[in-house]
Amino acid sequence: MTTEVEKATAPAGSTRRAFVGRRAFVGRLSWGLADQAASSISNFAVGIYVARSLGVTAFGVFSLAWVTYGVVLNVSRGLATDPLVVRFSGVSDTAWRGAVARSSGAALGVGVAIGAACLVAGLALGGHVGPAFACLGVMLPGLLLQDAWRYSFFAAGTGKKAFVNDVVWGVALVPALVVAAQVGSVAAFVLAWGASATVAAGYGYVQSGIRPRMTRARAWLREQRDLGYRYLVENVSLSGASQLRAYGLGAIVGVGAVGAVRGAELLLGPFLAVLMGLSLVTVAEAARVLRRAPHRLGTFCLLLGGGQAVAALLWGGALLLMPDRLGELVLGDVWHSAAQLIVPVTLGVAGSGLGTGAAAGLRALAAARHSLRCQLFASACYVAGGLGGAALAGTVGSAWGVATATLAASAVWWLQLRSALREHHQDSIPEVRTP
């Protein structure tokens, strides 16, 4: 009798656990999307407000500071938060708290070190650009610490806290921008942007109750050096390839070509925001799958990448049906040149989405050697395709070159994931000793 009852209740218990697990995953994914929406809205609002307040030239100076922040942010993530998400997602609270104290200290240390360099460079440059970079140097520690809290919360599966933290940044940003507008300088806007992020970074300490330990930053870098330095190269090569393509396209075809490409990317902006939101949680979720059901990691990555690729194609198809009048309302005169690029840009984004599924699996496996090889190949293809296509067929050629390069890189990502999964499977098989 007992045996039959156990047989009857076991499937029900397994089904219930599976349902709870899926529900928890959907919850974490939803908070990732909500957090990215809050972050994207804040960034968009800052750009529009600064552009309208300062004009084209001053906005260009602000954009230089913004681009520099993006590069430094990739450095911080590679050294501090990417290894944290890979190795401390779904672990015990004690292990997570200790790792967050060290990783956030490392992010803060990166901010202090590079911030000091920016401050010195800004003071030496002077003119219009110097003050902006000097102010950026002062604000970098707070900016990087705020981002470190976001990734720490997602590693713990508490994306709601990351969302609230970004909302705090957005709320603090409103009065800061109003004050900066009264001053009317680029430096004032950089200070407003960074100061509001610092407020959110302080609130992150309240949320977590963890004090960043800069004194343990060196220990963290030493512990994670097998991942951190490879991720650093990956992240910097990714952002560097994008900048090289933009500068090269402007030199070969003209600045208008850069605007056309940017216009096409703006049309895909809502979908790209979703992609970025997913990226906040995919590695952490893949790490959880690896710990609980390693045999399901490949399927999880395939569903993740395939779903993103299909969604990108559907979004691009909808854009092709957009009336010219609506397109002109959104982009103005840029619409007609951007509309010619919808197909190749959509294919490029679909290829990128497909590749991110494999990339999440490689990160979860801590296969930094494989992922570094993929990222360097993808970056080289991106630059070569974008600039080679521009030399052969102008703006449209550049877009098709990037699409081709992205699809080729996606294939390499999946080949490397298959190799890494095979290696992980072989390593997990216990060695059989013969007497």
Side-chain angles (χ1 to χ4, degrees):
M1 174 71 89
T2 304
T3 304
E4 292 187 7
V5 171
E6 289 175 351
K7 288 180 179 179
T9 57
S14 300
T15 303
R16 189 178 300 110
R17 285 193 297 271
F19 173 76
V20 171
R22 285 194 294 269
R23 185 176 180 181
F25 168 69
V26 171
R28 291 190 294 268
L29 182 61
S30 299
W31 284 119
L33 295 175
D35 175 73
Q36 185 56 47
S39 178
S40 297
I41 290 171
S42 296
N43 291 340
F44 180 76
V46 169
I48 294 297
Y49 196 82
V50 174
R52 293 191 173 188
S53 300
L54 298 181
V56 177
T57 303
F59 181 62
V61 176
F62 182 85
S63 298
L64 288 175
W66 187 286
V67 169
T68 303
Y69 159 70
V71 175
V72 177
L73 184 64
N74 277 327
V75 172
S76 175
R77 287 177 178 175
L79 294 176
T81 52
D82 284 347
L84 173 77
V85 172
V86 169
R87 286 184 166 151
F88 295 92
S89 293
V91 299
S92 67
D93 184 67
T94 301
W96 175 80
R97 294 180 69 86
V100 169
R102 300 193 301 278
S103 66
S104 60
L108 195 57
V110 170
V112 170
I114 301 183
C118 285
L119 177 60
V120 173
L123 294 175
L125 284 172
H128 295 291
V129 177
F133 274 81
C135 292
L136 176 66
V138 174
M139 293 293 109
L140 272 177
L143 285 162
L144 298 188
L145 181 58
Q146 191 275 338
D147 187 74
W149 290 131
R150 292 175 69 207
Y151 277 77
S152 298
F153 293 141
F154 279 112
T158 54
K160 181 179 179 180
K161 291 184 177 181
F163 169 74
V164 172
N165 194 274
D166 267 328
V167 170
V168 168
W169 185 1
V171 171
L173 190 60
V174 174
L177 288 177
V178 172
V179 173
Q182 297 299 316
V183 178
S185 68
V186 178
F189 278 103
V190 173
L191 287 174
W193 169 48
S196 55
T198 302
V199 170
Y203 184 65
Y205 169 73
V206 175
Q207 289 176 293
S208 65
I210 300 173
R211 181 170 59 87
R213 301 184 62 181
M214 281 185 60
T215 55
R216 298 298 306 278
R218 183 173 297 179
W220 173 262
L221 297 178
R222 185 169 57 250
E223 294 167 10
Q224 310 300 328
R225 63 181 178 274
D226 59 324
L227 296 182
Y229 295 115
R230 286 189 170 98
Y231 290 161
L232 170 64
V233 175
E234 282 187 42
N235 293 352
V236 172
S237 68
L238 177 63
S239 58
S242 179
Q243 293 301 313
L244 284 175
R245 187 253 182 141
Y247 294 148
L249 181 61
I252 295 171
V253 183
V255 179
V258 180
V261 171
R262 179 58 181 157
E265 291 174 347
L266 283 174
L267 292 172
L268 285 155
F271 179 77
L272 292 174
V274 171
L275 255 176
M276 293 175 67
L278 287 172
S279 69
L280 292 170
V281 296
T282 51
V283 176
E285 291 304 321
R288 288 186 177 89
V289 172
L290 180 63
R291 287 190 176 90
R292 297 171 183 174
H295 61 285
R296 294 180 180 174
L297 180 60
T299 303
F300 172 82
C301 294
L302 183 60
L303 291 174
L304 176 65
Q308 292 179 84
V310 171
L313 293 175
L314 291 174
W315 186 273
L319 290 176
L320 290 175
L321 300 176
M322 180 185 293
D324 286 341
R325 185 168 54 185
L326 181 57
E328 291 171 358
L329 180 65
V330 175
L331 294 178
D333 295 336
V334 179
W335 162 252
H336 295 288
S337 55
Q340 303 175 33
L341 309 179
I342 290 177
V343 173
V345 170
T346 298
L347 290 175
V349 172
S352 178
L354 184 62
T356 56
L362 288 174
R363 286 286 176 100
L365 289 165
R369 178 172 57 86
H370 289 282
S371 62
L372 176 60
R373 187 180 302 157
C374 290
Q375 190 56 68
L376 291 176
F377 176 80
S379 298
C381 285
Y382 184 90
V383 174
L387 299 186
L392 292 174
T395 309
V396 176
S398 178
W400 278 108
V402 166
T404 304
T406 305
L407 291 170
S410 178
V412 172
W413 279 106
W414 280 101
L415 289 173
Q416 290 297 314
L417 176 61
R418 187 175 68 174
S419 298
L421 286 171
R422 189 183 301 116
E423 292 172 6
H424 179 77
H425 177 68
Q426 291 173 349
D427 292 341
S428 62
I429 298 176
E431 184 180 359
V432 178
R433 298 184 181 273
T434 56

